[in-house]
Amino acid sequence: MINSNLLALLEQNALLFDSSIHGLYHWQTVERNGLYLAKFTGADVKVVSYFAYFHDCMRENEHDDPKHGARGSQYAKEHKQLLDLTDEQLAMLCHACSGHTYGRQSACATVSTCWDADRLDLGRVGIVPDSRYLFSDEAKRIADEQDFEILISYEETI
Ligand SMILES: [Fe+2]
């Protein structure tokens, strides 16, 4: 959960803040997915939460914007004084943001948990998440068994 100052800044700066596809609603869903998966992967939950709010915040459109991840990473760096992160955590956050669209592999459990959390929300645009593009066992299980209900019920506990 990010603080209200940061949320207000994102509301000012994110063009698609109100979008149901790439805006706040999606970010909150990615955070929920990531916090759930972190129980299985041991991911750093602070990085997972910040990733959720930064990874798409610099999108300029809903469609073709291949550099948006890199811009999100840059934006996070520019506002690092507002983030409760060490340099090492900030580096993970930036790697997770810049690689989230095309990332195929990461040795870092936190980075791959971030990517899984985002990809498990593909149902919002009519794409069924495919376990071949997911990393953790639990994310793959959710996709293979179509068990998205477990993420929804987790929401009630956070
Ligand atoms: Fe996303």
Side-chain angles (χ1 to χ4, degrees):
M1 309 293 165
I2 62 167
N3 69 45
S4 54
N5 288 344
L6 187 52
L7 193 62
L9 188 73
L10 286 166
E11 187 168 11
Q12 268 180 16
N13 294 158
L15 283 178
L16 301 179
F17 185 85
D18 293 322
S19 159
S20 61
I21 298 177
H22 290 114
L24 180 62
Y25 181 70
H26 166 59
W27 307 344
Q28 289 169 333
T29 306
V30 172
E31 183 179 41
R32 176 203 71 190
N33 292 351
L35 295 179
Y36 171 80
L37 290 174
K39 295 190 300 167
F40 298 84
T41 65
D44 183 318
V45 293
K46 271 195 203 170
V47 175
V48 164
S49 284
Y50 285 125
F51 168 81
Y53 291 87
F54 280 107
H55 77 287
D56 279 339
C57 76
M58 287 291 106
R59 262 194 172 269
E60 292 173 351
N61 66 63
E62 305 276 24
H63 314 288
D64 186 31
D65 186 0
K67 300 266 177 67
H68 76 276
R71 289 198 304 272
S73 166
Q74 185 58 35
Y75 183 81
K77 271 186 212 152
E78 284 165 15
H79 295 93
K80 68 177 183 182
Q81 77 282 359
L82 294 177
L83 310 182
D84 179 23
L85 294 177
T86 64
D87 288 349
E88 193 188 348
Q89 288 171 313
L90 181 67
M92 281 194 279
L93 171 64
C94 290
H95 179 198
C97 287
S98 56
H100 80 270
T101 306
Y102 303 106
R104 296 213 173 274
Q105 211 173 0
S106 171
C108 173
T110 296
V111 170
S112 51
T113 298
C114 290
W115 295 348
D116 279 352
D118 187 32
R119 293 173 192 186
L120 281 176
D121 194 33
L122 279 169
R124 77 195 190 285
V125 288
I127 298 172
V128 179
D130 182 333
S131 60
R132 287 175 299 175
Y133 302 109
L134 296 169
F135 302 99
S136 68
D137 290 344
E138 180 62 6
K140 286 174 183 286
R141 186 199 66 74
I142 290 171
D144 286 339
E145 298 177 12
Q146 300 277 295
D147 184 18
F148 299 99
E149 196 55 44
I150 200 151
L151 296 169
I152 295 165
S153 29
Y154 179 65
E155 188 166 330
E156 286 149 25
T157 71
I158 56 176

